[in-house]
Amino acid sequence: MPKLVLLLRIKDGIFFVQEWLDNVEKLVDEIVVVDNGSTDGTFEILQARPKVVDIARTEGFNEGRDKNLVYAMARKRNPDWCLWIDVDELFEPELTRADFDRLMQRKFVNKYRFRRFHFIDREHFAGSKARLHYSAGHDRVLWRESPSGYFEDFIIDSPMVKGISGLQINTDFRIKHLGYINKAIVDKKADIYRAIIPEKEETFQEMYLRDEKKIKWVDKRSSLKVRKLNWYLSCVRLTTLLPRAFNKVFRLIKTAFKKSGEPKIA
């Protein structure tokens, strides 16, 4: 069977870490961790779990640096596939390792993406049009390991892995994002971001999910409610295909014109 290694960057995740470990340990073979200076016992909990095979510590906030470091640690474990998921995110409970094995055994697919739902409390996720539009996208990734893979070196919000070419498939596997259910945690995260990019205050305020429409979460994947939601989100995603394709073509044309205007070096 393919070897699956999970990458985690974390700091002070005591509110979620036990639940997270119970959720992901049944799905992956090994976990590698970069701990960015936890002081709440998170480091010790992770260190004691047998599937956490490597753990390093860093100082100073730098997401790009830490993500590339933990990726380098994962590569030393010789994975066939890698997975990124944060400590405040849980895969829906009906998923099993067999589900992931079926994905990883497809020879011509190099990347799978998953949907995240932002939870207001333990029972409900945000269901406004804007939030569902966000969930229609897929922003967590399982990828076939390749030497070309990397994370962009941004201090904040270094996004999904880059450099993984080949066929990509968006799945209907769901992730419960619980990071917004605790105000104290949101306050702490907002303060970290605010110190780096204070001009994004409006974005920070969106993390509080004020006046959001509540939708009750259903665990059972085969339920009619879940099927209808997945169908709706797939339709929403389809409506974005043309604008995204147009933007991509526009960027390519812009880049080509820019290069054509550069002076030639003899």
Side-chain angles (χ1 to χ4, degrees):
M1 290 295 180
K3 181 177 180 179
L4 174 55
V5 176
L6 187 154
L7 288 65
L8 174 68
R9 177 190 183 273
I10 191 171
K11 180 174 182 177
D12 292 338
I14 198 69
F15 190 80
F16 300 110
V17 69
Q18 292 279 13
E19 182 180 14
W20 182 85
L21 285 163
D22 293 340
N23 179 263
V24 300
E25 282 182 327
K26 66 183 181 181
L27 303 174
V28 306
D29 296 301
E30 297 178 349
I31 303 170
V32 293
V33 180
V34 164
D35 182 289
N36 188 221
S38 292
T39 59
D40 63 353
T42 296
F43 179 85
E44 290 75 17
I45 290 171
L46 288 166
Q47 196 175 37
R49 300 293 278 247
K51 283 204 172 181
V52 178
V53 295
D54 196 4
I55 184 167
R57 306 197 82 166
T58 58
E59 296 181 0
F61 188 91
N62 189 319
E63 289 187 342
R65 174 202 64 193
D66 289 354
K67 286 185 174 184
N68 281 299
L69 172 58
V70 76
Y71 196 3
M73 293 162 60
R75 281 173 161 150
K76 292 179 181 179
R77 307 302 304 180
N78 297 314
D80 298 301
W81 288 78
C82 295
L83 171 67
W84 185 280
I85 183 171
D86 290 337
V87 77
D88 56 6
E89 299 167 352
L90 306 174
F91 279 105
E92 53 185 316
E94 287 192 349
L95 293 182
T96 67
R97 175 55 189 255
D99 293 311
F100 281 81
D101 282 335
R102 280 191 288 272
L103 298 182
M104 295 185 292
Q105 287 167 7
R106 296 177 182 172
K107 294 182 179 180
F108 303 107
V109 182
N110 288 343
K111 190 189 297 185
Y112 295 96
R113 297 174 65 177
F114 313 115
R115 286 182 172 133
R116 281 195 308 159
F117 295 81
H118 299 308
F119 274 63
I120 299 169
D121 54 44
R122 285 280 178 177
E123 302 294 328
H124 303 86
F125 61 91
S128 66
K129 184 177 180 179
R131 291 292 175 179
L132 287 180
H133 192 278
Y134 180 91
S135 292
H138 300 73
D139 64 348
R140 287 293 177 262
V141 181
L142 167 72
W143 69 94
R144 191 188 301 274
E145 168 51 6
S146 168
S148 60
Y150 67 97
F151 287 93
E152 291 181 304
D153 192 15
F154 297 152
I155 292 176
I156 189 169
D157 197 29
S158 179
M160 291 186 294
V161 65
K162 304 292 185 181
I164 307 298
S165 60
L167 183 61
Q168 169 183 286
I169 290 181
N170 295 332
T171 76
D172 64 357
F173 287 11
R174 298 174 298 162
I175 293 175
K176 303 165 70 172
H177 176 218
L178 304 176
Y180 298 156
I181 68 173
N182 183 295
K183 184 178 181 299
I185 292 174
V186 177
D187 287 342
K188 188 173 182 179
K189 184 181 291 188
D191 285 343
I192 291 172
Y193 291 169
R194 191 176 287 119
I196 301 169
I197 45 172
E199 67 276 9
K200 297 289 186 179
E201 183 62 33
E202 185 176 346
T203 301
F204 308 148
Q205 293 302 317
E206 291 176 0
M207 295 192 296
Y208 291 94
L209 301 182
R210 297 185 181 95
D211 304 318
E212 262 292 339
K213 177 182 177 182
K214 290 185 176 183
I215 296 181
K216 177 85 169 176
W217 176 266
V218 177
D219 280 338
K220 193 171 182 61
R221 286 176 53 79
S222 61
S223 74
L224 180 60
K225 187 173 182 179
V226 172
R227 288 172 181 260
K228 286 172 65 177
L229 177 61
N230 281 331
W231 177 84
Y232 170 76
L233 294 176
S234 294
C235 289
V236 169
R237 185 66 176 169
L238 283 173
T239 64
T240 69
L241 286 178
L242 187 58
R244 286 188 289 119
F246 175 82
N247 288 335
K248 185 173 184 179
V249 171
F250 178 78
R251 288 195 299 269
L252 290 172
I253 294 173
K254 186 178 179 180
T255 300
F257 272 111
K258 184 178 179 181
K259 287 183 176 180
S260 67
E262 290 177 354
K264 305 291 185 181
I265 299 176

